[in-house]
């Protein structure tokens, strides 16, 4: 990549938009149009239509249909971001909501418009296939893939291989329950591989690439961290091994109770040893006859992911941008950083972006990040390849678009699910609670002082916001018609993955914020120099913090 | 119609099978040797959302089953290609479903492209089965 080339001229092509996929997506959009027509004519009953609609990403929510569009491995081109902006504007209420699984959700869709929207998305190489339903879902990965300084290898070619393998796989479209795969390619796990049905952690042994295979993680009503069932699975065994896991699960997973149907329950009920044996037996049976991945095909996949930019002379961050330093991550190439654009401005719904902001991000990506955009697990947007020298100009552009909040990793960088404001499953509101917490601590002027804090708020037990993995997790429940917020402490989504422990009885929405303030003031009083909240909590144990939470009672 | 209907690539048929039939219930233990020796194996689907039969069919074919393989149950035409790709030759559907989803829909489903990412991955012809 030449240093002098104008960035817009080197915009990366959409990695999954080749001719085969283009034709496939067009066919699938036509098929869905036909399914909608057959539902309306009565040929398909509602019960038959439901799994077909879910497989195309269309949920029936509280007020309208919600369309969940996949962003495979979180990688978007500028043109694709503009296509999302157009969906938001033409068919929704002017915004979209980015999720923890690198999808974007449109919350106000008319069923009759869905085929047109899918056509429009297919034109940009985007789709909603397998973003819902009891099938293999969108494969997620590290938002910093291809850029992170601590990367072992770019995980996206493997994620794309798995996407292709799992797309419309005839055997695995009607599994006992949904199946989520995440893959991490760096030393630090930024893809939450231990909280997925199947997690892959890329490793290198000498010259060989392989994967640590983790199965049976998941949150929801039975949170569980995944178990390592293979420590080093050679690269060439990846697909047959996935086949072995999936076909074993398809047969052995429970179908009598949807709350016990995830693979984490299959594994827990069978026991790790028996489960591993079942998978390995099937693997041994199919491995010899399993056709290898065509090397030319895999080379073509790899070629879709451009190499990182050429090194530039390092430039120190101007003092005026000191607060923005939190949004910057180290890059593998000198003179560059990966910039996280926070979608968590204080007081607004976490993870939302307006059509205008999506277009601004597309423009800025073209100008300063080779046209590449990522969606992070934390519901933020990442511009992965920014030259340090361009930071002041990029920052100015972000300020103009209302996207320059410098709060990445802080208390207000909250993960929240849509909650009772949108979701048919929710038992409590989550977005308004997130907004109230963010503005409260900003107004106290304590946010920067508190430092890194991972706060996650789910509006029901299904745990879409991963509250079990928050340093502080909040779960909104319904207690006899009143919202009650249960606090968990000590969760961690990173390398030291841990499930938080419930602190005690839930709080009313009014009592929650004072309780959190007492908790965090206790941390400020107890912390040793340089300690984050989670570090102090681990060192001291939860008693001191539980006492602070409940010093005002649970409804005071 | 009050008989089950057999659906194949060329449309609806009455059941013309008169020989021995080996029945598989995915919930029960499967006698693989007996299945492999049978001229026709019929795999039951309790519901369209119960996909165990697809794995059973694929495993039977992988184990060398060359007889006729039939899916039995309320599968919809949208699942026709999944049934064919996993190794089924035909689907036996209940009469009420055949009345609601007429032959033309199944013919359309059978004619629909079986474009397949997995063939692409393995360097095989990706456009047809």
């Amino acid at each position: 990549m030449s240093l002098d080339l104008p960035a817009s001229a080197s915009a990366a092509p959409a990695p999954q938009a080749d001719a085969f996929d283009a034709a496939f997506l067009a066919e699938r959009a036509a098929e869905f149009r036909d399914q909608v027509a057959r539902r309306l004519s009565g040929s398909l009953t509602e019960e038959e239509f439901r799994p077909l609609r879910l497989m195309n990403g269309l949920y029936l929510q509280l007020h309208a249909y919600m369309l969940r569009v996949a962003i495979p491995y979180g990688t978007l081109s500028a043109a694709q971001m503009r296509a999302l902006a157009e969906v938001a504007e033409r068919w929704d209420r002017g915004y979209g909501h980015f999720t923890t699984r690198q999808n974007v959700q449109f919350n106000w869709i008319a069923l009759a418009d869905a085929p047109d929207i899918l056509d429009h998305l297919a034109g940009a190489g985007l789709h909603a296939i397998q973003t819902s339903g009891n099938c293999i879902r969108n494969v997620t990965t590290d938002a910093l893939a291809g850029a992170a300084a601590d990367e072992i290898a770019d995980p996206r070619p493997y994620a794309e291989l798995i996407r292709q393998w799992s797309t419309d796989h005839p055997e695995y479209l009607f599994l006992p329950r949904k199946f989520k795969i995440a893959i991490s390619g760096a030393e630090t796990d930024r893809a939450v591989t231990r909280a997925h049905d199947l997690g892959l952690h890329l490793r290198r042994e000498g010259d060989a690439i392989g994967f640590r295979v983790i199965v049976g993680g998941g949150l929801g009503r039975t949170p569980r961290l995944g178990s390592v069932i293979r420590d080093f699975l050679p690269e060439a065994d990846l697909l047959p091994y996935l086949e072995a896991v999936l076909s074993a699960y398809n047969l052995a997973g429970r179908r009598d109770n949807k709350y016990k149907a995830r693979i984490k329950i299959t594994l827990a009920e069978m026991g790790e040893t028996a489960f591993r044996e079942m998978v390995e037996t099937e693997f041994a049976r199919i491995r010899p006859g399993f056709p290898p991945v065509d090397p030319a095909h895999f080379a073509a996949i790899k070629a879709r992911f451009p190499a990182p930019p050429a090194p530039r002379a390092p430039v120190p961050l101007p003092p005026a941008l000191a607060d923005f330093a939190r949004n910057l991550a180290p890059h593998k190439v000198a003179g560059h950083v990966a910039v996280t654009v926070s979608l968590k401005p204080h007081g607004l719904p976490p993870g939302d972006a307006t059509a205008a902001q999506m277009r601004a991000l597309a423009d800025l990506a073209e100008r300063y990040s080779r046209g590449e955009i990522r969606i992070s697990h934390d519901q933020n947007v990442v511009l992965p390849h920014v030259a340090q020298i361009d930071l002041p100009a990029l920052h100015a552009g972000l300020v103009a678009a209302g996207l320059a909040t410098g709060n990445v990793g802080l208390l207000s960088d909250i993960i929240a699910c849509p909650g009772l404001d949108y979701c048919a499953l929710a038992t409590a509101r989550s977005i308004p609670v997130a907004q109230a917490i963010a503005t409260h601590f900003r107004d106290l002027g304590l946010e920067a002082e508190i430092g890194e804090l991972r706060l996650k708020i789910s509006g029901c037990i299904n745990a879409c916001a991963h509250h079990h993995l928050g340093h502080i997790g909040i779960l909104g429940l319904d207690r006899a018609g009143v919202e009650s917020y249960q606090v968990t402490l000590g969760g961690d989504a990173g390398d030291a993955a841990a499930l938080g422990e419930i602190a005690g009885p839930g709080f009313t929405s009014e009592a929650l914020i004072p309780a959190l303030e007492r908790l965090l003031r206790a941390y400020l009083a107890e912390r040793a120099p340089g300690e984050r909240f989670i570090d102090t909590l681990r060192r001291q144990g939860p008693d001191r913090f539980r006492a602070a939470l409940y010093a005002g009672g649970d409804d005071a | 119609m009050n008989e089950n209907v057999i659906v194949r690539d060329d449309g609806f048929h009455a059941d013309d099978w008169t020989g021995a039939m080996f029945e598989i219930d995915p919930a029960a233990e499967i006698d693989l040797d007996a299945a492999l020796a049978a001229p026709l194996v019929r795999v039951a689907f309790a519901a369209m959302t119960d996909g165990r039969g697809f794995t059973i069919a694929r495993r039977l074919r992988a184990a060398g089953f060359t007889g006729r393989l039939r899916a039995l149950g309320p599968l919809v035409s949208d699942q026709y290609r999944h049934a064919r790709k996993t190794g089924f030759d035909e689907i036996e559907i209940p009469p009420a479903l055949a009345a609601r989803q007429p032959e033309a829909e199944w013919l359309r489903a059978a004619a629909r492209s079986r474009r397949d990412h997995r063939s692409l991955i393995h360097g095989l012809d990706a456009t047809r089965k």
Side-chain angles (χ1 to χ4, degrees), chain A residues 454-456 467-468 470-475 486-489:
Chain A
R454 304 292 176 169
L455 203 153
K456 304 175 195 258
H467 64 272
H468 304 101
H471 296 168
I472 298 175
I474 296 171
L475 165 61
Q486 195 178 68
V487 175
T488 56
L489 294 176

Side-chain angles (χ1 to χ4, degrees), chain B residues 19-41:
Chain B
M21 184 185 289
F22 186 83
E23 306 262 7
I24 291 183
D25 168 8
E29 199 70 25
I30 298 169
D31 181 349
L32 190 67
D33 290 335
L36 290 177
L40 186 147
V41 170

Side-chain angles (χ1 to χ4, degrees), chain A residues 28 32 50-60 65-70 104-106 109 114 118 127-133 135:
Chain A
R28 279 297 297 260
F32 187 63
R50 190 171 174 275
L52 305 175
R53 127 171 107 63
L54 289 175
M55 222 177 287
N56 284 289
L58 209 62
Y59 274 80
L60 186 56
Y65 280 98
M66 178 270 275
L67 180 68
R68 180 182 289 155
V69 177
V104 58
Q105 297 181 175
F106 296 102
I109 297 297
L118 293 182
H127 64 83
I129 294 169
Q130 291 169 226
T131 57
S132 179
C135 51

Side-chain angles (χ1 to χ4, degrees), chain A residues 100 219 377 379 414-418 430 455-460 462-470 474:
Chain A
T100 58
L219 300 171
H377 150 70
Q379 299 181 283
I414 295 170
I415 295 185
C417 70
S430 41
L455 203 153
K456 304 175 195 258
I457 307 174
S458 300
C460 83
N462 292 307
C464 291
H466 303 181
H467 64 272
H468 304 101
L469 301 178
I474 296 171

Side-chain angles (χ1 to χ4, degrees), chain A residues 139-481:
Chain A
V139 181
T140 55
T141 188
D142 184 353
L144 302 180
D150 67 342
E151 188 161 271
I152 301 158
D154 190 338
R156 291 173 303 161
Y158 301 97
E160 169 60 8
L161 188 68
I162 296 170
R163 179 196 74 82
Q164 293 182 2
W165 164 77
S166 62
T167 296
D168 205 40
H169 194 306
E171 203 178 321
Y172 310 129
L173 292 167
F174 299 90
L175 295 169
R177 200 73 181 85
K178 59 187 164 185
F179 199 93
K180 300 177 183 177
I181 300 177
I183 173 168
S184 161
E187 298 289 349
T188 297
D189 177 7
R190 283 175 291 260
V192 214
T193 55
R194 290 195 65 197
H196 279 75
D197 294 288
L198 192 141
L200 295 166
H201 204 147
L202 195 145
R203 306 179 62 199
R204 205 183 270 281
E205 277 185 4
D207 289 337
I209 282 182
F211 302 93
R212 176 171 290 147
V213 184
I214 303 156
V215 172
L219 300 171
R221 64 190 68 211
T222 322
R224 186 180 187 285
L225 294 174
S227 311
V228 177
I229 63 164
R230 263 291 192 112
D231 207 46
F232 189 85
L233 178 75
E235 177 182 17
D237 290 348
L238 179 61
L239 294 184
Y241 201 82
L242 291 178
E243 289 275 358
V245 172
L246 265 297
S247 72
Y249 166 61
N250 194 24
L251 292 181
R254 286 180 61 171
R255 290 177 186 266
D256 59 328
N257 179 342
K258 76 178 268 200
Y259 301 120
K260 298 191 169 174
R262 294 285 286 272
I263 198 171
K264 64 187 172 187
I265 307 288
T266 318
L267 191 149
E269 287 184 350
M270 286 181 85
E272 230 174 274
T273 311
F275 180 90
R276 188 184 290 120
E277 228 175 79
M278 170 179 75
V279 170
E280 292 290 345
T281 304
E282 176 63 7
F283 176 69
R285 183 158 55 208
I286 64 173
R287 180 67 185 92
F290 199 87
V293 172
D294 174 19
H297 181 71
F298 194 55
I301 289 180
K302 280 187 165 170
R304 296 184 199 175
F305 299 96
R312 306 273 297 258
V315 178
L317 189 69
L321 297 186
D323 280 352
F324 199 61
R326 288 185 197 101
N327 295 39
L328 310 180
H331 199 283
K332 57 166 75 171
V333 176
H336 290 80
V337 287
V339 176
T340 299
V341 179
S342 168
L343 296 183
K344 319 286 179 64
H346 301 82
L348 291 174
D352 278 10
T354 64
Q357 288 177 326
M358 292 182 205
R359 292 203 177 94
L361 284 165
D363 292 346
L364 292 169
E366 275 176 349
R367 219 167 304 151
Y368 304 114
S369 184
R370 302 198 314 188
E372 284 191 48
I373 300 168
R374 308 290 173 75
I375 305 306
S376 80
H377 150 70
D378 297 307
Q379 299 181 283
N380 290 318
V381 171
V382 171
L383 300 178
H385 304 298
V386 177
Q388 286 168 334
I389 197 162
D390 289 335
L391 277 171
L394 169 61
H395 185 263
L398 291 171
V399 169
L403 289 167
T405 314
N407 64 344
V408 169
L410 296 183
L411 181 152
S412 59
D413 187 4
I414 295 170
I415 295 185
C417 70
L420 200 51
D421 297 286
Y422 298 98
C423 180
L425 301 173
T427 43
R429 294 167 301 154
S430 41
I431 290 172
V433 174
Q435 292 169 319
I437 293 172
T439 48
H440 178 80
F441 285 92
R442 180 198 54 193
D443 295 347
L444 286 177
L446 278 182
E447 196 179 359
E449 176 69 20
I450 291 165
E452 186 186 328
L453 179 69
R454 304 292 176 169
L455 203 153
K456 304 175 195 258
I457 307 174
S458 300
C460 83
I461 199 160
N462 292 307
C464 291
H466 303 181
H467 64 272
H468 304 101
L469 301 178
H471 296 168
I472 298 175
I474 296 171
L475 165 61
L477 297 167
D478 176 293
R479 291 276 180 257

